[in-house]
Amino acid sequence: MSTVTVALRAGEAADLAALAALEHACFGADAWDTGSLRAELTGPGRQLRVATDDAGSMVGYADVLVAGDVADLLRIATDPSARRTGVATALLGDAVAHARAAGADRMLLEVSDANAGAVAFYTARGFTPIDVRPRYYRDGSAALVLRRDLALPGGTQ
Ligand SMILES: CC(C)(COP(=O)(O)OP(=O)(O)OC[C@H]1O[C@@H](n2cnc3c(N)ncnc32)[C@H](O)[C@@H]1OP(=O)(O)O)[C@@H](O)C(=O)NCCC(=O)NCCS
């Protein structure tokens, strides 16, 4: 993987159009619309952070919800043109650091079992399957529920 430097910052209302475009590119029929994204920007317990390249263009984002000692990684996505350059790794490290600081001791997420790239990404970063939800997604694929223990050592990635 050739890593690029990205800057991370809080998402804001001015990002909604770019976020919606990224959602569409990454999740197709399951993409969140602008209203859903706006709710994520302001919802209780949420942290939505965007990654930008040298030119200031959005290349990825992550959305995490911390409630008590559980962090739910609701979204992580990298623009197709910037994949496998470390963008999601940087966003995940940032989300993990935030979740730990907010008191979470574990991070959970759901991912389609048909999404081999994402499953490989999470597995390489310490997530393990704890459950399966059959026929969870619109395309009929199952959701794998993955968990990472935030109390374990393993850096911020
Ligand atoms: C999954 C996703 C977020 C990874 O983002 P990324 O910025 O490319 O990830 P990084 O560059 O930080 O990490 C890449 C590492 O993850 C793993 N990985 C990522 N995509 C992979 C793929 N298609 N096949 C195998 N491994 C993959 C590898 O370990 C890879 O390291 P390598 O390039 O050295 O082999 C990105 O592919 C994406 O946005 N997919 C669509 C949205 C999505 O599925 N989100 C997750 C579900 S919510």
Side-chain angles (χ1 to χ4, degrees):
M1 177 167 77
S2 82
T3 307
V4 299
T5 305
V6 289
L8 305 183
R9 61 167 173 79
E12 51 195 47
D15 297 318
L16 281 170
L19 285 166
L22 193 51
E23 273 285 311
H24 182 68
C26 293
F27 298 106
D30 290 311
W32 286 344
D33 62 17
T34 304
S36 302
L37 287 161
R38 188 185 297 278
E40 292 304 313
L41 286 175
T42 55
R46 267 88 171 159
Q47 178 181 264
L48 193 155
R49 301 263 288 168
V50 304
T52 57
D53 64 14
D54 285 347
S57 299
M58 189 186 302
V59 290
Y61 86 100
D63 184 25
V64 62
L65 165 64
V66 182
D69 52 9
V70 183
D72 285 302
L73 188 64
L74 302 176
R75 277 298 205 240
I76 191 162
T78 299
D79 186 273
S81 67
R83 289 194 184 154
R84 302 192 86 156
T85 62
V87 173
T89 298
L91 286 163
L92 177 62
D94 181 68
V96 164
H98 165 70
R100 282 189 174 129
D105 63 16
R106 59 200 184 278
M107 182 173 281
L108 304 178
L109 62 88
E110 287 158 356
V111 61
S112 166
D113 67 350
N115 191 346
V119 172
F121 170 76
Y122 291 127
T123 303
R125 276 147 189 82
F127 286 88
T128 54
I130 57 167
D131 217 333
V132 180
R133 298 183 180 167
R135 297 177 298 283
Y136 186 79
Y137 293 102
R138 222 177 278 260
D139 66 359
S141 64
L144 302 178
V145 183
L146 304 186
R147 172 191 163 124
R148 175 168 158 180
D149 190 340
L150 301 183
L152 290 174
T156 56
Q157 293 203 335

